Amino acid sequence: MSENQKNRCEQSMEKYFFQASAEDFKKIPGVSIAYWTSKSIIQSFESGSRLGDHLDTAQGMKTLDNERFIRRWQEVSFSKITKKTVSDKQWVPINHGGGFRKWYGFHESVLKWFNDGEEIKSLAKEKYNSVTRTVTGMGHYFENGITWSAISSDLISVRKFGEGFIFTNAGMCAFGSEKKQDISMALLNSKVGVEVLKILAPSVNFGPNQIGEIRIIDLNESAHIVHINSKKLVVLSSEDWDFYETSWDFTNPPLLKLYHRQHLISATYMRLHSYWRDMTLKMQRLEEENNRIFIDAYGLQEELTPEVASKEITLTCNPYYRYSGNKSEDELSALLQSDTMKELVSYTIGCMMGRYSLDEPGLIYAHSGNEGFDPTRYQKFKADDDGIIPLTDKEWFSDDAANRLEEFIATAWDAAHLEENLGFLADNLSPKKGESSRETIRRYLCDSFYKDHTQTYKKRPIYWLFTSGKQKAFQCLVYLHRYNEGTLARMRTQYVIPLTAKLAAHVNKLEQDKDASTSTPEIKKLEKEIATLHKQQAELSTFDEKLRHYADQRIPLDLDDGVKVNYGKFGDLLADVKAIMGGANE
């Protein structure tokens, strides 16, 4: 080996060679052999105070049966959810983990806690002869705090939550004064926090003990800046979380907020997109300022920089975070625009169903059995009479989803610009060559909406797709919360039986057109359409028989049982039965 080769080899080896003192390891809680750790971080374990001395870190309960006790909040009657310690309501919000999202969010689940958790405690006592062995952290139930997922694939992400929550072992929590919560959350969400946790929790299992051992350095006058920054970051993140209908604090889509709305949906979206970009940049600046303060305080200027990558700004309106993969800026922008239009369609369906209203913000009807439904709360855009919305490839019914969506757009925006607005909406729903905007919208509703809806609600849909089968002779959406024992009978008499007659009449007309035609291409086209209609007629006849069977049973639903149980009560009348019933509660 030449002298130059030897020198290069030695230089290369230096990159992977560390010198560390065994005495330094003893300064780290648990004596972690973190040989790569800088002396500045090791010094923090001597000079800093334990996070656990500032906040009470706690592990939440094990329910012992998540399928029985946990629901997504949209599944149950909203009137049965409470945030109070003592209540006769059935369900309470829980912190139950979640993905990578900082500052606020993942308020998705509720826990069955009737009579102070009587059933959960009874099960714990039955299995272990002890309540406190599995129902842990009770002293902090319903307090405000910060939470994080117990297990992560990579980075920790800590979020704020208010009063009224219980927490499970999937969503660890810490409690204390608001200022200490905010500063601790900022540290954990910073680059410094990530580096320290690489030592304390190398397996990315973030238990209360590991989090409690993080050292907090005195920030002096910068502590106030971090506190204020944290509050601003929580506000930004909560605003973003509430943009979407999966939040229980959702009011209406940002496209419909007055300070964004223009005459054209395209102009409205451009204004909204600019607002979202500003939100993302503001959050990035605040996080980088926090990073800079912590890096300086811990003396890590040689090891860390304050910059935060765009994909780590955890706002759903930030496409760099929302979408995975190596996509270009144009691709990301197109995805965000398309999804925003799909979210508008979803909200429109919600207004048709009576879940939302253009007259009032937030949830209007999310109870059970259509009881207490008040039609007078829907003046600008009327809710459907029965919560049954047909999805058809042709305009068989005046109140089908496509016609009602057109009515909604003409109401929510300037009716004079209806065609432009329908065109912009259709352009973002994967139009096919030669389709009109109305044809694209109708096809999206028939073929793709339910798939998107099921994905949005994580296989716990609230609008259920009844379908005759592959030929799609008849499809309709039924709002879970408005379903009652007469819904199937009404579906049959109002839609299926009339459609049977309409199909027969249309076949007769096409047969007459074929007999009268002298054009071979036209005759072939008509024969193909007639053959398709015959298949649909046969499918619809079979569906009608099954529908009558289930309608005669007048099947009741208990929303407390959840979507998974209730979805299986209708045989194969519903779409995607195996996928819905096979998905486990998180």
Side-chain angles (χ1 to χ4, degrees):
M1 180 184 293
S2 70
E3 192 63 29
N4 286 339
Q5 288 175 321
K6 184 178 179 181
N7 288 337
R8 284 198 299 270
C9 183
E10 288 174 350
Q11 290 170 2
S12 177
M13 289 295 290
E14 286 177 1
K15 295 179 182 179
Y16 305 100
F17 183 76
F18 299 86
Q19 284 185 317
S21 167
E23 291 301 314
D24 284 341
F25 296 147
K26 294 178 182 179
K27 299 171 185 177
I28 301 172
V31 197
S32 175
I33 310 300
Y35 52 82
W36 66 87
T37 306
S38 71
K39 288 189 177 294
S40 296
I41 289 182
I42 291 175
Q43 179 62 31
S44 75
F45 287 107
E46 286 190 304
S47 59
S49 57
R50 294 175 65 254
L51 184 148
D53 293 334
H54 293 260
L55 299 176
D56 188 5
T57 58
Q59 177 174 312
M61 73 167 71
K62 295 178 182 178
T63 70
L64 302 178
D65 191 344
N66 285 355
E67 292 284 334
R68 177 178 170 187
F69 295 117
I70 294 178
R71 301 282 179 267
R72 290 184 65 79
W73 73 266
Q74 300 95 344
E75 296 183 70
V76 303
S77 172
F78 197 69
S79 61
K80 288 189 174 184
I81 300 175
T82 183
K83 292 185 178 182
K84 296 180 180 178
T85 307
V86 179
S87 174
D88 60 353
K89 299 291 182 73
Q90 185 90 330
W91 303 91
V92 297
I94 56 169
N95 286 307
H96 192 49
F100 179 63
R101 183 184 175 93
K102 295 176 282 188
W103 309 112
Y104 188 90
F106 289 123
H107 301 159
E108 299 175 316
S109 300
V110 290
L111 180 77
K112 192 174 186 181
W113 197 247
F114 180 71
N115 199 18
D116 197 35
E118 180 180 43
E119 286 187 52
I120 288 177
K121 293 175 181 177
S122 176
L123 181 59
K125 197 166 184 180
E126 175 188 327
K127 287 200 172 186
Y128 296 107
N129 198 31
S130 168
V131 171
T132 55
R133 179 174 173 178
T134 55
V135 187
T136 52
M138 283 189 284
H140 291 298
Y141 290 179
F142 300 101
E143 293 180 9
N144 67 68
I146 58 176
T147 185
W148 61 93
S149 300
I151 299 175
S152 171
S153 60
D154 189 10
L155 304 177
I156 192 171
S157 56
V158 184
R159 298 173 290 277
K160 192 77 174 283
F161 63 93
E163 294 180 351
F165 285 76
I166 291 177
F167 53 109
T168 71
N169 64 325
M172 303 296 182
C173 293
F175 304 88
S177 72
E178 181 182 355
K179 185 173 183 179
K180 289 179 178 178
Q181 284 180 27
D182 289 346
I183 292 175
S184 298
M185 176 172 56
L187 172 60
L188 291 166
N189 282 337
S190 74
K191 286 193 170 184
V192 172
V194 169
E195 288 301 307
V196 176
L197 282 171
K198 286 178 182 178
I199 304 167
L200 295 175
S203 64
V204 291
N205 189 334
F206 304 121
N209 293 333
Q210 290 93 334
I211 299 300
E213 289 297 341
I214 287 181
R215 296 306 193 262
I216 296 182
I217 301 290
D218 189 356
L219 301 178
N220 300 316
E221 62 273 10
S222 295
H224 179 68
I225 297 173
V226 171
H227 181 209
I228 296 303
N229 284 353
S230 289
K231 292 173 76 69
K232 291 178 180 178
L233 286 160
V234 170
V235 168
L236 286 168
S237 186
S238 62
E239 181 184 2
D240 174 76
W241 182 257
D242 295 339
F243 282 151
Y244 305 94
E245 63 182 64
T246 47
S247 166
W248 51 54
D249 290 319
F250 171 81
T251 53
N252 49 25
L255 280 170
L256 286 171
K257 295 187 185 297
L258 292 177
Y259 44 85
H260 296 308
R261 202 183 320 181
Q262 307 292 299
H263 291 306
L264 296 176
I265 297 179
S266 57
T268 304
Y269 179 77
M270 287 179 62
R271 188 161 177 167
L272 175 62
H273 186 262
S274 177
Y275 181 77
W276 282 347
R277 187 171 57 249
D278 289 345
M279 280 181 66
T280 303
L281 291 173
K282 185 175 182 180
M283 176 170 272
Q284 191 173 34
R285 287 194 297 269
L286 290 168
E287 288 198 17
E288 289 179 348
E289 184 174 21
N290 279 356
N291 278 339
R292 193 172 294 109
I293 290 170
F294 284 118
I295 288 169
D296 290 346
Y298 284 73
L300 295 172
Q301 297 90 337
E302 297 297 320
E303 290 102 81
L304 299 175
T305 60
E307 287 75 25
V308 181
S310 296
K311 67 180 181 179
E312 293 176 9
I313 304 302
T314 58
L315 298 174
T316 308
C317 67
N318 170 25
Y320 293 95
Y321 160 72
R322 182 170 180 175
Y323 305 109
S324 59
N326 188 23
K327 297 180 176 65
S328 68
E329 187 170 345
D330 287 345
E331 288 173 322
L332 291 172
S333 294
L335 279 171
L336 185 62
Q337 182 169 296
S338 176
D339 282 344
T340 304
M341 293 306 109
K342 291 175 183 178
E343 286 151 8
L344 176 62
V345 172
S346 180
Y347 177 75
T348 304
I349 296 290
C351 288
M352 296 178 201
M353 293 295 192
R355 184 173 179 84
Y356 309 114
S357 171
L358 284 178
D359 301 292
E360 302 177 40
L363 281 178
I364 305 300
Y365 188 86
H367 307 313
S368 178
N370 209 39
E371 293 181 5
F373 184 78
D374 182 2
T376 65
R377 299 179 71 180
Y378 312 89
Q379 296 298 318
K380 293 179 182 176
F381 179 80
K382 294 191 178 300
D384 190 76
D385 291 339
D386 46 29
I388 303 171
I389 305 291
L391 303 176
T392 54
D393 59 354
K394 292 183 176 62
E395 189 181 345
W396 297 116
F397 304 101
S398 61
D399 63 345
D400 69 21
N403 284 333
R404 296 235 58 205
L405 187 145
E406 182 177 334
E407 179 191 346
F408 178 91
I409 297 299
T411 302
W413 277 273
D414 189 340
H417 298 285
L418 176 62
E419 296 305 319
E420 292 167 279
N421 284 332
L422 290 177
F424 182 75
L425 180 61
D427 286 344
N428 287 281
L429 298 177
S430 302
K432 291 184 176 180
K433 187 176 180 180
E435 277 186 333
S436 69
S437 58
R438 286 173 174 80
E439 288 171 340
T440 298
I441 291 168
R442 183 173 290 277
R443 180 175 52 78
Y444 170 76
L445 289 166
C446 288
D447 297 348
S448 302
F449 170 77
Y450 193 65
K451 179 182 177 181
D452 291 338
H453 176 69
T454 303
Q455 183 176 344
T456 297
Y457 285 87
K458 297 184 178 179
K459 296 186 179 180
R460 297 293 181 266
I462 56 173
Y463 312 133
W464 291 3
L465 180 62
F466 285 81
T467 177
S468 58
K470 291 182 180 180
Q471 298 299 321
K472 300 180 181 179
F474 175 75
Q475 295 188 130
C476 73
L477 295 171
V478 171
Y479 183 22
L480 168 64
H481 294 270
R482 292 186 65 189
Y483 170 91
N484 57 61
E485 295 176 11
T487 295
L488 297 188
R490 185 172 177 85
M491 184 192 302
R492 185 167 182 262
T493 57
Q494 295 296 312
Y495 297 107
V496 175
I497 293 175
L499 181 58
T500 301
K502 290 181 180 185
L503 285 175
H506 192 53
V507 168
N508 288 337
K509 179 183 180 305
L510 293 180
E511 291 281 7
Q512 292 172 5
D513 291 343
K514 187 189 75 170
D515 292 341
S517 177
T518 57
S519 166
T520 300
E522 184 182 11
I523 290 172
K524 287 183 177 180
K525 180 183 177 182
L526 289 168
E527 286 176 342
K528 184 178 179 180
E529 189 173 352
I530 290 167
T532 298
L533 286 169
H534 281 320
K535 291 178 183 178
Q536 289 184 333
Q537 284 180 302
E539 182 181 89
L540 188 62
S541 176
T542 301
F543 178 76
D544 184 42
E545 290 179 18
K546 290 186 287 187
L547 180 60
R548 180 175 59 183
H549 170 72
Y550 284 100
D552 289 345
Q553 295 180 47
R554 297 184 60 82
I555 298 170
L557 299 183
D558 184 346
L559 298 191
D560 289 339
D561 290 338
V563 167
K564 183 175 177 179
V565 169
N566 285 314
Y567 208 82
K569 295 180 177 180
F570 301 96
D572 60 353
L573 293 180
L574 287 164
D576 299 332
V577 176
K578 289 183 179 179
I580 303 302
M581 294 187 66
N585 282 335
E586 298 174 350

